[in-house]
Amino acid sequence: MDVQLERDAFSKGLQMVQNIVEPRQTLPILANVLLETEGDTLRVTATDLAVGACVSVPAKVASAGAITLSARKLGEIVKELPAAPLSLKVQENAWVVLRCGGVSYKLVGLPPEDFPAVVPTAGPAWIPLEGKALKEMLTRTAFAMSHDESRYALNGVLFSLQSGRLRVVATDGHRLALASRPLPNGGGAATGIVPRKAVQEVVRVLGVGEDVQVALVENQFVLRMPNFLLVARLIEGQFPNYEQVVPKGHPCRLVVSRSALAAALRRVSVLSEERTKPVKVLLSPGSLKLTAQNPELGEAEESLPVDYSGEELAIGFNSRYVLDALGAIEADEVVAELKDALSPGIIRSLEGEEYFCVIMPMRI
Amino acid sequence: MAFDAVRGQPAAVDVLTRALASGRVAHAYAFVGPPGVGRKLTAMAFAKSLLCPSAGCEQCPACRKIEAGIHPDFMLIAPTFPEGKTSGTPLIRIEAIRQLEQRAALRPAESAWKVFIVDDAGRMTAEAPQAFLKTLEEPPARTVIILILTQTRELPATVLSRCQVVRFMPLHEEEAVALLQSRGMDEGTARLLARASQGRPGLALALDPAAWLERRELALSILAEVGADGAAALFKWSDTLGRDRGQIEQLLETWWLWYRDLLCAKASGDPRLLIHGDRAAELAQSAAGRSWEEIVAGLAACREAWQALQRNVSPRLTLEVMLSRLALGAA
């Protein structure tokens, strides 16, 4: 293999995939990225056997071939190189000579044959999406993913394709976040739980403008952009029936300024117990009172005006969960729906049903 | 077939092939038996049978990837040194178990199953089995976990009760000899090593026949020297060897087998029973000069020294006590 590349393009390509490489690896080849020529491009592939991604970088290919090199060291090298044309040449015994300007490296590679392939298993039905919209849906739900390894079905977000809508759902058993949007051309029905690492990688590589295509194949989630492909294994198991959890027809509905509520929660929860950060919410017509108390520290209390005309209600929440939900909404005003002290509450943006978050109450 | 390479374990192979044929594969197995008799080989063969499209052909990309450890639906976990070090006690650490659990939670990438082999599963850190319990009891769908153990008591009963136990036995001498010969050994060496390894060809393959014979000479000469010169020789040898736990373990095994042969020689004199068949005359003579009690006491001394080493008694102290019992007749 003998190729010439632009340093900037190569560096950008490497950055898109190298996070997938796990720092601690028992298999030497998985600490490497695969570099292979493909037409007029150099394709860079990284995988940890659960998530894999490849990116194509424009290159002048003098002779075709493939090699693998340490992802970390290659990243460190390319980051520091001057902005000049860069050449990669494979020599005997998997040695690689990298030249850029006046710098040259001779690197120890590993043969490409043993590198696990990153390919979608079947020709998938692609769903076109705006990259920005997908990124937003993921960031607005990903915080609710569970970190409890024993409940592995919750360690990811559910992608659900049904009756012309894409729904993205995450829950950890205490709260649930759901973002949904209509699909331009309907599409079939499919579901799959995408693991946390894949979600993080997708959010990281998605920029603002570009269009993407996603697909759920039997056991895989696939994301495609021009010159980029990500394949992730789905999580085994059953996602909880989230539709059953979402309460309907709560009688108490209030509208409140998002930023004012968030600021008040942060202030009051300073005195909450550290682990679950409980805050008590006292609702009465026109006003919402937040209180927190800690026998060792004291009490905090704040009232803020709300648009509410129902009955009085007292309910407790983990203030972190409420703040997470408020942080995921962009609108200035949010709607909260409540029933009684033991029923879950809903937070959603004032307009539309595109996003909401269900939070279980706490006994305080 | 994948199991062709497994020799002398008909019971184990039968259990596994029947599970494959009936489609009733257990979610967790414990392969229990002495090291070197083919537990890992069988586990790999079982993995290939489950993951390879043609049930373990050894030729296809899937089989090659399993062998290389890069099959996405396969994971082999073995004891490792403490993080970031290249020495220390190799153990199966909780992080490895967590990695296994994360991979098990994913759907299979290429096959119908996911197979996880935990080699030397007895070497888990104290908290690793706890972390493992829930996954072992109810692993994600299409998951098979194989624990490789020397003895069932190496793991808590809570772990073992969640596994189907498959027993592995030492090979019969003829099987071991045939296997070693198929690896290019001549019959004499194969027989010597098959006996020296007591039916554990995996260990026999790792033995260097010349080194083994040399060690036997050393062990016997130490015994003779201490017997002749008494305490002075004993302390000379314990000074020389005292720090090397590995070598003392090997010498101990040699003495132990020697005493075993003495017992056989005294009982029947049939050279086919002897591990050190080439020294039959010497054994017969030595056995004739000893009482039954003396030989049995020697065996007891070896066993107790072995237990002491397993329990972390100082190797030097163990060696001194054992030599004084073997060669000086101390009680």
Side-chain angles (χ1 to χ4, degrees), chain A residues 51-362:
Chain A
V51 186
C54 40
V55 60
S56 295
V57 181
K60 276 190 213 133
V61 179
S63 83
I67 190 70
T68 75
L69 284 173
S70 159
R72 201 163 65 90
K73 284 296 156 196
L74 193 60
E76 284 175 23
I77 288 171
V78 174
K79 200 174 77 186
E80 299 300 337
L81 286 178
L86 175 156
S87 81
L88 278 170
K89 202 179 231 175
V90 179
Q91 301 189 324
E92 273 179 25
N93 293 327
W95 284 92
V96 180
V97 173
L98 186 157
R99 284 208 179 82
C100 181
V103 203
S104 81
Y105 291 90
K106 195 171 179 198
L107 302 168
V108 182
L110 281 173
E113 289 78 28
D114 281 345
F115 198 88
V118 174
V119 278
T121 41
W126 295 104
I127 307 154
L129 286 168
E130 285 169 49
K132 185 168 169 248
L134 178 60
K135 185 172 181 168
E136 194 181 279
M137 289 175 90
L138 288 175
T139 46
R140 293 172 111 189
T141 48
F143 65 84
M145 285 188 287
S146 170
H147 288 265
D148 180 356
E149 298 285 351
S150 64
R151 303 177 75 184
Y152 48 87
L154 303 185
N155 292 174
V157 299
L158 177 81
F159 271 71
S160 165
L161 226 68
Q162 219 180 3
S163 43
R165 281 191 95 78
L166 171 67
R167 288 187 180 81
V168 176
V169 192
T171 177
D172 63 3
H174 304 293
R175 63 298 204 18
L176 177 146
L178 184 150
S180 95
R181 64 184 288 114
L183 292 172
N185 49 0
T191 60
I193 311 166
V194 181
R196 180 196 332 271
K197 185 170 174 183
V199 172
Q200 286 164 348
E201 284 306 305
V202 169
V203 169
R204 207 175 58 81
V205 298
L206 283 178
V208 273
E210 71 274 67
D211 285 343
V212 300
Q213 291 177 301
V214 297
L216 290 165
V217 208
E218 191 188 354
N219 291 332
Q220 291 176 331
F221 167 81
V222 192
L223 175 120
R224 193 165 73 168
M225 289 194 285
N227 300 325
F228 181 83
L229 177 78
L230 179 136
V231 181
R233 284 165 71 180
L234 296 173
I235 293 181
E236 188 97 72
Q238 196 68 41
F239 200 80
N241 181 356
Y242 62 92
E243 277 160 341
Q244 214 172 43
V245 181
V246 179
K248 286 176 190 73
H250 269 3
C252 310
R253 186 172 187 275
L254 61 130
V255 180
V256 59
S257 153
R258 184 177 70 93
S259 53
L261 179 59
L265 272 169
R266 275 194 292 269
R267 279 192 288 266
V268 169
S269 66
V270 169
L271 290 195
S272 298
E273 179 261 320
E274 281 304 318
R275 205 171 62 84
T276 51
K277 282 281 177 191
V279 165
K280 196 168 184 180
V281 179
L282 295 156
L283 195 58
S284 51
S287 127
L288 180 125
K289 190 159 88 171
L290 301 171
T291 63
Q293 42 186 284
N294 187 324
E296 285 160 23
L297 296 172
E299 298 174 4
E301 184 181 313
E302 178 163 351
S303 292
L304 58 161
V306 289
D307 178 0
Y308 177 66
S309 51
E311 284 174 24
E312 291 199 354
L313 173 69
I315 188 168
F317 286 110
N318 181 330
S319 58
R320 270 195 210 106
Y321 293 168
V322 182
L323 284 168
D324 280 343
L326 294 175
I329 295 172
E330 278 173 11
D332 286 339
E333 294 202 301
V334 294
V335 178
E337 290 169 17
L338 301 165
K339 186 175 164 205
D340 53 46
L342 300 177
S343 303
I346 306 177
I347 293 180
R348 61 170 100 238
S349 53
L350 187 53
E351 63 273 6
E353 299 226 330
E354 304 273 294
Y355 177 78
F356 64 84
C357 189
V358 180
I359 305 175
M360 294 301 290
M362 293 174 81

Side-chain angles (χ1 to χ4, degrees), chain A residues 24 26-27 29 48-50 114-116 121 149-150 152 191-193 195 217-220 233-237, chain B residues 64 68-73 83 95 98-99 101-109 114 134 138-142:
Chain A
R24 277 176 296 153
T26 39
L27 293 171
I29 194 125
D48 69 350
L49 297 180
D114 281 345
F115 198 88
T121 41
E149 298 285 351
S150 64
Y152 48 87
T191 60
I193 311 166
V217 208
E218 191 188 354
N219 291 332
Q220 291 176 331
R233 284 165 71 180
L234 296 173
I235 293 181
E236 188 97 72
Chain B
R64 275 199 307 107
I70 54 164
H71 195 293
D73 299 326
E83 160 130 43
E95 296 79 28
R98 295 240 163 87
Q99 270 183 11
E101 289 176 331
Q102 278 171 14
R103 282 275 291 280
L106 299 175
R107 293 198 194 164
K114 295 158 285 177
K134 190 154 188 307
E138 208 179 346
R142 301 178 278 188

Side-chain angles (χ1 to χ4, degrees), chain B residues 171-243:
Chain B
L171 274 69
H172 290 298
E173 185 177 329
E174 293 313 317
E175 280 166 340
V177 169
L179 195 154
L180 293 174
Q181 278 182 298
S182 72
R183 299 292 184 92
M185 271 185 208
D186 64 74
E187 200 196 329
T189 318
R191 195 162 295 276
L192 176 74
L193 289 186
R195 288 184 179 186
S197 66
Q198 298 157 72
R200 296 171 291 175
L203 299 192
L205 286 168
L207 283 176
D208 172 3
W212 189 78
L213 289 172
E214 208 174 284
R215 191 162 63 234
R216 185 175 71 178
E217 292 315 312
L218 176 69
L220 295 179
S221 71
I222 292 174
L223 221 48
E225 201 181 319
V226 175
D229 298 354
L234 190 157
F235 288 117
K236 188 194 93 183
W237 280 111
S238 68
D239 279 342
T240 326
L241 301 169
R243 291 179 178 282

Side-chain angles (χ1 to χ4, degrees), chain B residues 220-290:
Chain B
L220 295 179
S221 71
I222 292 174
L223 221 48
E225 201 181 319
V226 175
D229 298 354
L234 190 157
F235 288 117
K236 188 194 93 183
W237 280 111
S238 68
D239 279 342
T240 326
L241 301 169
R243 291 179 178 282
D244 189 344
R245 180 179 287 263
Q247 194 178 10
I248 289 179
E249 278 182 5
Q250 290 176 335
L251 285 171
L252 168 59
E253 192 179 333
T254 317
W255 285 318
W256 201 343
L257 293 180
W258 186 259
Y259 268 81
R260 170 208 175 271
D261 273 9
L262 281 177
L263 195 65
C264 292
K266 192 156 183 82
S268 75
D270 184 345
R272 282 175 302 171
L273 290 176
L274 302 180
I275 286 166
H276 304 281
D278 54 328
R279 304 281 281 268
E282 192 184 331
L283 278 164
Q285 193 193 0
S286 175
R290 290 167 201 262

